[in-house]
Structures are given as structure tokens and as C-alpha cells.
Amino acid sequence: PRVQRRSAPVDVACTPAEEYLSSLGYSGAEISKAKSRYGRRFSPDVTSTIKPFCTFFSDLGMDDAQIRKLVINYPMVFRCSLENNLKPVVEWLSAMGMNDMQVAKTIGKFPPLLVLSLEENLKPTVQWLVAMGMNKTQAAKAILKFPPLLGFSLEHNLKPTVQWLVTLGMNK
């Protein structure tokens, strides 16, 4: 006997966000990846979210390939506020001494940086680095080399790791 197979239902209803990305040349696979990482129906508003965010990243110095990578791999950025999240983080990185190209590179290496709290994550980590003996310029260089440093928990990762290294006899 012949078994008839049913294919899984296909979501044929594209959101305006999906249509817009498709019009920019994003492949179906890239859009599917962004949708799956977004975590729910991929529906950021094109006019008030996607276009302004992409313009913001472009103005910062990110090229189309970097923006594409950000959109595909970290679409949750569209859930953030440009004014309350992204701009303050970029301004803070600039105040650390980074130029726009360095800020763009840092964001490209670690997009979750954009959703971290300035007061609860970013500033305390840099303050701790300074307390450990770095100056602001050295802290900025450390962030440039390894941006995920800003995403580590001070209490559960950075401090215990440094304490462990000190017990092994490593110093500054």
C-alpha cells in the first residue's frame, strides 16, 4: 500500500517586515532564521522600527553586510527602543573613547550589548575594570578586543574568575 505523506502547514502569510527584508534581497532562509530568533511572530514595524534602526546602524558606520548579519542573527534588537536603548549605549561607548567605526565593530561582535542595561551591566563592569587597575582607555581597548566581557556577570563570573587566578599566583 502506498502511504500518502502530508507536508507541514506552511505559513504563507508574510508580515510587512518579512516582505520588506525580502525586497532588500534577504533570502527566505535568512528571513526564517531571523524569525526563529525573534521568538514570536516577526512583526516589527517597517516604518517606525526597521528602517530607522538600519539607518542608525548605517550612520554609525556599519556596512550592509554587518547590518544584514545583525538583523539575521540578533533580530531582537527590533524590540528595543532606539532612543532609550540603542542611542544611550552608543553614546556611552563613544564617551569611553571609541570612534564610530570602533563602536560599530563592537556592536557587530556582540549585538546583545545593545540590550544590556547601562546602569546594571555596562557601567559597573567598566568601574570594576578600573578598580582592578585599568584606566578608561585600557578598559575601552579590552571591550574592543572582547565585547562579550560586558555581558558577563560581575558577581558570578568576572570576580570569581579573577579571584581564582589570584589564588593560582597570577597578579596584574
Side-chain angles (χ1 to χ4, degrees), residues 9 14 37 67 75 79 89 105 110 128 130 133 157:
C14 283
R37 291 184 174 189
I67 295 170
R79 292 187 185 159
V89 168
K105 184 177 179 182
F110 187 60
W128 179 76
V130 170
N157 192 310

Side-chain angles (χ1 to χ4, degrees), residues 106-158:
T106 301
I107 291 168
K109 284 183 176 179
F110 187 60
L113 167 69
L114 296 169
V115 299
L116 294 174
S117 165
L118 273 173
E119 301 304 322
E120 294 179 25
N121 299 98
L122 307 181
K123 288 179 181 180
T125 301
V126 170
Q127 289 166 349
W128 179 76
L129 291 172
V130 170
M132 293 296 298
M134 289 185 175
N135 62 38
K136 192 173 159 181
T137 303
Q138 291 169 324
K141 284 183 182 178
I143 293 164
L144 274 168
K145 284 216 179 259
F146 190 67
L149 176 68
L150 292 170
F152 291 138
S153 165
L154 273 175
E155 299 304 321
H156 299 291
N157 192 310
L158 295 175

Side-chain angles (χ1 to χ4, degrees), residues 3-148:
V3 177
Q4 194 172 20
R5 292 186 179 183
R6 290 182 155 181
S7 60
V10 176
D11 183 12
V12 292
C14 283
T15 66
E18 293 170 59
E19 289 176 9
Y20 177 70
L21 293 178
S22 180
S23 76
L24 294 178
Y26 286 63
S27 70
E30 290 171 325
I31 293 170
S32 291
K33 187 174 181 181
K35 284 173 57 176
S36 70
R37 291 184 174 189
Y38 192 76
R40 60 178 182 218
R41 184 165 164 80
F42 187 65
S43 59
D45 185 75
V46 172
T47 305
S48 66
T49 305
I50 296 178
K51 285 181 181 180
F53 278 49
C54 290
T55 299
F56 175 73
F57 293 129
S58 179
D59 290 347
L60 191 60
M62 293 178 92
D63 62 30
D64 289 343
Q66 289 172 308
I67 295 170
R68 181 186 215 94
K69 184 177 174 186
L70 179 70
V71 169
I72 294 166
N73 293 318
Y74 204 73
M76 305 77 138
V77 73
F78 294 130
R79 292 187 185 159
C80 297
S81 163
L82 191 57
E83 296 300 321
N84 297 327
N85 295 95
L86 276 62
K87 286 183 179 180
V89 168
V90 167
E91 288 167 5
W92 180 78
L93 290 170
S94 296
M96 290 280 302
M98 294 185 195
N99 61 38
D100 283 353
M101 195 65 97
Q102 291 171 321
V103 171
K105 184 177 179 182
T106 301
I107 291 168
K109 284 183 176 179
F110 187 60
L113 167 69
L114 296 169
V115 299
L116 294 174
S117 165
L118 273 173
E119 301 304 322
E120 294 179 25
N121 299 98
L122 307 181
K123 288 179 181 180
T125 301
V126 170
Q127 289 166 349
W128 179 76
L129 291 172
V130 170
M132 293 296 298
M134 289 185 175
N135 62 38
K136 192 173 159 181
T137 303
Q138 291 169 324
K141 284 183 182 178
I143 293 164
L144 274 168
K145 284 216 179 259
F146 190 67

